[in-house]
Amino acid sequence: GQQLNQSPQSMFIQEGEDVSMNCTSSSIFNTWLWYKQDPGEGPVLLIALYKAGELTSNGRLTAQFGITRKDSFLNISASIPSDVGIYFCAGRQGAQKLVFGQGTRLTINP
Amino acid sequence: EAGVAQSPRYKIIEKRQSVAFWCNPISGHATLYWYQQILGQGPKLLIQFQNNGVVDDSQLPKDRFSAERLKGVDSTLKIQPAKLEDSAVYLCASSLGLGFGGGLVKETQYFGPGTRLLVL
């Protein structure tokens, strides 16, 4: 089946630092999504990407749909304590089911 | 607007017992999803309903898992009998269900808080 490889698995940073994470796939996707999951809650959609090369921002978050359609990147600028959580990428081909990555756990030292 | 509701929030059972989870989607959402999230992994789709019909249940272990959405609104997911490896968070999500006519799907899935199952 389809596999998504998300890296890094975890990050420990200082408050105010920028964060970068990425996701790669063995298959081509036409949709890339980025979610954040807080402890005890379900994932919440942060950014949706629908076109190769697309760059989309949501506040301090910026995500890109890779040109090859097999990867995507998420950047967080000037991290703050509420950015702590697990970030998941997810991809989809057409109307098929979403496939999720393993997640990147972000920890911020104040 | 109320979000996706799930109950119970936590459940501890012994292996070979049965368990059921309940989900109430966002009002007006035709599509309902059940996901399994094992610790340290991303969610994995178990079953997708469009109204009360099954769209995709290819990853549902049908020898022990069953799900229904009889009136096209609430849904229940059952495990019988449970195994140790079923310990996970079971997430329900819903979406409007208007974008599945083919081609690109731009619908947002809204997730509930999940039910945490521990099988001993």
Side-chain angles (χ1 to χ4, degrees):
Chain A
Q2 296 167 335
Q3 299 264 338
L4 289 187
N5 185 27
Q6 189 171 347
S7 66
Q9 286 190 323
S10 60
M11 301 183 73
F12 298 85
I13 63 169
Q14 298 292 325
E15 184 176 349
E17 287 186 8
D18 296 343
V19 172
S20 292
M21 60 189 78
N22 68 82
C23 203
T24 58
S25 168
S26 56
S27 306
I28 289 175
F29 288 124
N30 56 15
T31 298
W32 280 100
L33 306 172
W34 284 92
Y35 286 85
K36 178 174 184 271
Q37 186 172 27
D38 291 328
E41 300 295 331
V44 174
L45 182 65
L46 299 173
I47 293 179
L49 303 160
Y50 300 109
K51 188 185 299 184
E54 180 180 359
L55 187 71
T56 298
S57 293
N58 178 5
R60 294 177 296 104
L61 278 63
T62 301
Q64 184 162 24
F65 193 138
I67 292 293
T68 65
R69 296 167 65 192
K70 290 186 176 182
D71 55 9
S72 181
F73 308 87
L74 176 70
N75 295 313
I76 305 173
S77 63
S79 58
I80 59 178
S82 61
D83 292 334
V84 166
I86 303 177
Y87 292 80
F88 289 99
C89 61
R92 175 164 50 210
Q93 292 179 349
Q96 294 183 17
K97 58 179 168 287
L98 275 180
V99 177
F100 283 79
Q102 315 98 307
T104 294
R105 181 181 295 273
L106 179 63
T107 303
I108 298 176
N109 299 316
Chain B
E1 180 183 88
V4 176
Q6 290 188 247
S7 68
R9 292 296 308 272
Y10 306 91
K11 191 73 177 179
I12 301 175
I13 62 172
E14 294 187 349
K15 61 183 178 183
R16 291 188 289 274
Q17 286 187 326
S18 61
V19 64
F21 312 127
W22 173 82
C23 174
N24 181 235
I26 293 173
S27 177
H29 280 194
T31 308
L32 185 146
Y33 313 79
W34 282 103
Y35 286 87
Q36 180 191 58
Q37 186 176 21
I38 292 172
L39 187 65
Q41 298 182 18
K44 182 184 84 171
L45 181 70
L46 293 175
I47 189 167
Q48 176 183 340
F49 291 95
Q50 179 75 6
N51 295 308
N52 60 354
V54 175
V55 173
D56 186 341
D57 63 356
S58 58
Q59 299 189 118
L60 185 75
K62 298 181 185 63
D63 57 334
R64 298 183 301 107
F65 286 65
S66 65
E68 59 183 14
R69 194 185 184 200
L70 292 176
K71 296 183 179 179
V73 181
D74 293 6
S75 177
T76 56
L77 176 69
K78 297 179 182 178
I79 308 175
Q80 182 179 14
K83 293 185 175 182
L84 297 177
E85 59 262 34
D86 298 332
S87 294
V89 175
Y90 290 85
L91 295 163
C92 179
S94 70
S95 66
L96 278 170
L98 300 178
F100 290 92
L104 206 59
V105 174
K106 290 192 174 184
E107 294 204 340
T108 298
Q109 293 185 23
Y110 296 89
F111 285 83
T115 295
R116 277 145 191 80
L117 174 67
L118 178 61
V119 182
L120 301 176

